[in-house]
Amino acid sequence: MQPDLNRVIEQVSKEKGIDRKIIVDALKDAMVSAAKKTFGHDKKIEAEFNAEIGEVELFEVKTVVEQIEDPENQVTLDQAHAKIDPEAQIGDELLVRLPAEKFGRIAAQAAKQNIIQKVRDAERDIIYNEFKGRKGELFSGIVQRFEKKNIIVNLGRTDAILPEKEQIPRERYRQGDRIRAFILDVELTGKGPQIVLSRTHWGLLVELFKQEVPEIYEGIVEVKGAAREPGGRAKIAVTSNDRDVDPVGACVGMRGTRVQAVVQELRGEKIDIVPWTADPAEYVCRALAPAKVSKIIMDEDERAMEVIVPDDQLALAIGKKGQNVRLASRLTGWKLDVRSEAEAEDEARRARTSLQGIPKLSDVTAELLYQSGFKSAEELAASDEETVGEIEGIGAERAAGLLAGAREHVQRLREQEAVAAAEAAAAAEAAAAEAAAAAAAAPAAAGGESAGSSEEPAAPGEPVREESH
């Protein structure tokens, strides 16, 4: 007699969150597998769950035939009438109950393993389906253990991994610590669902503000973008859908309580809250705050901007190791080239001088070309008639002549540079040859001087006469 399985099924269903039908089907499959191990794999066996008595009943399927060809699965009409069903007819499939008590120990163990595996597979599918829809959300868990430099986090029903590259630098955890992280990815692997967490993704910043700022959660204040350098600094752009609500003030909170809660969660990461605007130039100016911007030159085709700031604001605009300008670029989506006014003036002077050097090019035309983005005669010579012709004040008719003059001028400059380079190389070669000759003559001169200064010693016994004065 099998134990009442109804309670077991209900308990497993509640604990694992698995549908009752899945558990019942797993039981039936396991019992059929175990029965075939005991009674033979060639037999046709079916299983049914009897909810009234809480048992899985096993039946052997017998087909009624005139002449038996498969003794395992067929019976004659006479045998069927005598032993199974007196009203049986040829072609009927009859069910003969099998005694479950005859299962061997190995068969019972195999049935148990089959049930465990089916339940585990169902549980994995449920967990995957639950978390795949939560990708991009904030989740809280307990630090379970450490695998090399990765952190395994217990999320309740399953474990997740926080890889080393997704951890904030210099952030340390101990086993049992509570951790909040961003669900970066959910994958279904052979070992089950793998949930990848992140503490460095900009989405973590946005989700933390959603939790701390009711106006964001309700949609009154909208987050337009975010950028982070984890553990250092972050920028978040916000706008308000209600004219009476200040988006920056809502995010900061009374005496900075809301933003400080986010800063504390991110272990002291500094956060700049930027009021968003649809004007790209103004948006960049706000993103570069607290630095002040003097002028912006925009290239919409390349999505690039040249940002001119006062000389004393250059370091502030760039930030420590370029951090401020990098974050502003990521936040706005524009390539930013920050320069001081002195650098810009020096470049402008060189550009105007280069353009004004083209013969028959007036200062006014040179200024028009410079304002249109041409920084030198070489850049103008490399352009085309269509681009130059679109400049207001020049037109298509003058473009060809300007380009021809620029190309002749650049060619002439290159020829002069080539001649100057050749002359410099010849002079250098002559100087090297002269130096080599001088170096070779020096030892010979030194040898002659030594020979001339030697005196023969006086012969032995010959008196030395002194010269009278």
Side-chain angles (χ1 to χ4, degrees):
M1 179 74 71
Q2 297 183 32
D4 185 355
L5 294 175
N6 282 314
R7 279 187 306 171
V8 178
I9 292 170
E10 290 296 331
Q11 184 179 356
V12 173
S13 178
K14 288 180 179 178
E15 286 181 358
K16 303 293 185 180
I18 301 172
D19 185 22
R20 176 187 172 90
K21 183 178 181 302
I22 294 174
I23 301 173
V24 170
D25 289 343
L27 279 169
K28 288 161 60 176
D29 291 344
M31 293 297 286
V32 169
S33 176
K36 286 190 174 184
K37 285 182 180 292
T38 301
F39 299 106
H41 290 281
D42 294 333
K43 286 185 179 293
K44 293 181 181 178
I45 298 175
E46 292 183 357
E48 292 295 332
F49 179 70
N50 189 331
E52 293 182 1
I53 60 175
E55 288 185 8
V56 176
E57 298 177 329
L58 292 171
F59 299 94
E60 181 183 3
V61 181
K62 293 285 188 178
T63 304
V64 182
V65 295
E66 292 182 357
Q67 186 175 355
I68 294 178
E69 296 178 357
D70 181 5
E72 291 288 337
N73 300 304
Q74 295 177 343
V75 293
T76 62
L77 187 61
D78 293 339
Q79 291 173 334
H81 287 165
K83 298 180 179 180
I84 305 174
D85 185 359
E87 298 180 358
Q89 297 180 5
I90 299 295
D92 287 352
E93 287 190 345
L94 306 178
L95 298 180
V96 181
R97 184 168 181 174
L98 293 173
E101 296 82 3
K102 290 186 177 181
F103 284 1
R105 181 178 60 82
I106 296 176
Q109 184 67 20
K112 179 182 177 182
Q113 291 298 327
N114 196 336
I115 293 169
I116 291 172
Q117 186 60 43
K118 288 288 180 67
V119 170
R120 187 176 295 155
D121 290 343
E123 187 178 13
R124 286 175 178 176
D125 290 340
I126 289 170
I127 292 172
Y128 173 72
N129 292 329
E130 176 187 344
F131 279 94
K132 74 176 182 180
R134 306 190 70 171
K135 185 177 175 180
E137 291 185 11
L138 194 64
F139 213 89
S140 182
I142 304 295
V143 175
Q144 188 82 5
R145 63 185 185 277
F146 300 90
E147 291 184 356
K148 296 181 180 179
K149 294 186 178 180
N150 300 328
I151 301 175
I152 306 302
V153 181
N154 184 355
L155 301 182
R157 297 190 59 188
T158 186
D159 288 344
I161 183 170
L162 179 62
E164 181 188 5
K165 66 178 181 179
E166 299 297 337
Q167 299 172 25
I168 296 176
R170 299 179 298 279
E171 190 174 61
R172 298 291 179 265
Y173 288 96
R174 293 177 297 180
Q175 191 173 5
D177 286 352
R178 180 163 291 277
I179 184 172
R180 282 200 288 180
F182 181 80
I183 298 180
L184 185 64
D185 197 12
V186 181
E187 297 177 353
L188 188 59
T189 65
K191 295 181 179 180
Q194 184 181 52
I195 302 165
V196 182
L197 304 177
S198 175
R199 289 274 298 168
T200 62
H201 196 274
W202 58 266
L204 175 65
L205 178 68
V206 175
E207 291 300 315
L208 288 172
F209 268 103
K210 278 185 182 178
Q211 285 194 351
E212 298 295 335
V213 183
E215 290 86 349
I216 294 179
Y217 183 80
E218 294 168 4
I220 299 171
V221 173
E222 185 179 352
V223 177
K224 285 292 189 176
R228 293 179 64 198
E229 290 205 349
R233 197 183 191 97
K235 290 181 184 287
I236 183 169
V238 292
T239 187
S240 176
N241 296 320
D242 186 339
R243 291 192 308 176
D244 296 331
V245 176
D246 174 23
V248 176
C251 293
V252 172
M254 185 71 70
R255 296 181 182 176
T257 52
R258 292 175 176 177
V259 71
Q260 282 304 316
V262 178
V263 169
Q264 187 174 359
E265 175 62 33
L266 298 178
R267 302 296 192 270
E269 191 172 303
K270 296 178 182 177
I271 301 173
D272 297 334
I273 303 173
V274 179
W276 180 83
T277 176
D279 182 2
E282 179 62 25
Y283 189 23
V284 167
C285 290
R286 295 178 182 181
L288 285 170
K292 297 178 181 178
V293 177
S294 303
K295 182 181 178 183
I296 284 182
I297 301 170
M298 186 186 304
D299 184 350
E300 293 187 3
D301 295 334
E302 297 292 331
R303 281 191 68 80
M305 292 188 191
E306 184 178 331
V307 182
I308 312 299
V309 300
D311 295 353
D312 60 347
Q313 296 282 302
L314 181 62
L316 190 61
I318 294 175
K320 184 180 180 181
K321 296 181 181 179
Q323 188 182 69
N324 194 51
V325 70
R326 275 198 308 273
L327 287 173
S329 179
R330 289 182 206 161
L331 183 68
T332 60
W334 286 75
K335 298 176 186 176
L336 303 180
D337 181 14
V338 179
R339 301 187 180 191
S340 67
E341 291 178 345
E343 288 176 337
E345 288 174 5
D346 186 50
E347 183 186 82
R349 186 166 51 252
R350 291 198 305 270
R352 290 188 177 100
T353 301
S354 178
L355 291 169
Q356 288 169 358
I358 301 173
K360 299 180 181 179
L361 188 69
S362 67
D363 293 347
V364 174
T365 304
E367 185 63 26
L368 285 173
L369 291 168
Y370 171 71
Q371 295 298 335
S372 299
F374 291 101
K375 303 292 180 65
S376 65
E378 286 79 5
E379 285 189 17
L380 179 60
S383 187
D384 55 75
E385 292 185 24
E386 183 180 355
T387 303
V388 177
E390 289 176 353
I391 299 173
E392 188 176 352
I394 293 179
E397 296 178 358
R398 296 180 57 199
L402 286 175
L403 287 172
R407 287 165 184 165
E408 289 177 7
H409 174 65
V410 170
Q411 182 63 31
R412 195 159 46 247
L413 290 177
R414 288 174 180 168
E415 290 173 356
Q416 291 173 359
E417 288 174 359
V419 170
E423 290 176 352
E429 187 177 348
E434 186 178 345
E449 183 181 344
S450 175
S453 63
S454 62
E455 296 181 356
E456 294 183 1
E462 184 178 347
V464 179
R465 294 178 296 176
E466 292 183 3
E467 188 175 350
S468 59
H469 296 282

